[in-house]
Amino acid sequence: MKRTLARLAAGLCIVLAAFFLLPVCAGILHFGMLWPAAVLLGAAAVLLWPDFFRRLLRPKWLRRVIACAAAVCLTAVLVTLGKMAQSAGHRPTGDAPCTVVVLGCQVLPDGRPSLMLQNRIRAAYGYLTAHPDAVCVASGGQNDREPGTEARCIRDALVSMGIDQARIRTEERSQSTEENLAFSAAVIREEGLPTAVVIASDNFHQLRAAIWAEREGLTPYAAGCASPWFLTAGYWAREAAALLYMVCTGM
């Protein structure tokens, strides 16, 4: 019975590892897919061949140290994921004026927003429609695979959806989340816009974006959007690793 349960648990670990690696089929590969898949496959190996690992890690104290380290790491990841989920649900309350900041994402070679950027644009559109006096800062530069800046793509998409272009400011220099918020904060200060900001980005992105926003003197709220289902697990895992790295390095 015990061996059967171990095999079932190992099978589940292998299925979950395959799920994390699923975006490879779409040509996507990043650290957030690799480290959970490696951990899950390692757990499956331990469950399937426990005697081998007992011999490999013969001193009992070594096994205890590894188990404690694994427990600490798992706890840190779970706490971080909980904080990320909490930040994603931090919506603005009342009628206090807010500036919408749309964080850039990949623009396709034909000039259309990628699926993730489309979702961020829709999140911004929802808030701007519900708050007709709110102003938006579209943030994002251009990399060598994009035909134009992400900020212009965001602006054009919002205008095509019926948002008055006069309500949209663009920040076209940023290349990272940190720069998104730093350069958007500069635009907000120059224009005299509200420093309470509603960040239009993926739910997994909200906590790190909020940290950078607070460092720039802004008060962040979330206008989060769900990521495509087959990308969600990997991006949440990657973001959790990035946040733990920020904590460990003090960045």
Side-chain angles (χ1 to χ4, degrees), residues 71-157:
V72 169
C73 290
L74 178 60
T75 300
V77 169
L78 291 176
V79 169
T80 302
L81 290 172
K83 292 287 187 181
M84 290 167 63
Q86 183 180 31
S87 186
H90 185 48
R91 309 292 184 180
T93 56
D95 297 322
C98 293
T99 303
V100 180
V101 177
V102 191
L103 302 187
C105 193
Q106 185 69 35
V107 175
L108 301 176
D110 62 5
R112 293 181 297 116
S114 61
L115 185 57
M116 290 181 71
L117 185 54
Q118 288 177 38
N119 290 339
R120 297 180 185 191
I121 291 168
R122 290 192 195 102
Y125 174 78
Y127 187 89
L128 291 168
T129 302
H131 301 82
D133 295 328
V135 174
C136 169
V137 178
S139 176
Q142 178 182 4
N143 63 39
D144 56 8
R145 299 182 302 279
E146 296 173 318
T149 66
E150 295 164 4
R152 265 179 280 165
C153 181
I154 295 166
R155 179 199 62 195
D156 293 347

Side-chain angles (χ1 to χ4, degrees), residues 3 10 13 39 49 71 92 130 134 154 167 194 202 206 208 243:
R3 178 164 292 186
C13 288
V39 170
W49 300 290
I154 295 166
R167 298 173 65 192
D202 294 79
Q206 291 292 337
R208 189 155 56 98
L243 286 161

Side-chain angles (χ1 to χ4, degrees), residues 14 19 26 91 230 237-239:
I14 292 169
F19 178 69
R91 309 292 184 180
F230 63 97
R238 186 178 75 171
E239 197 71 12

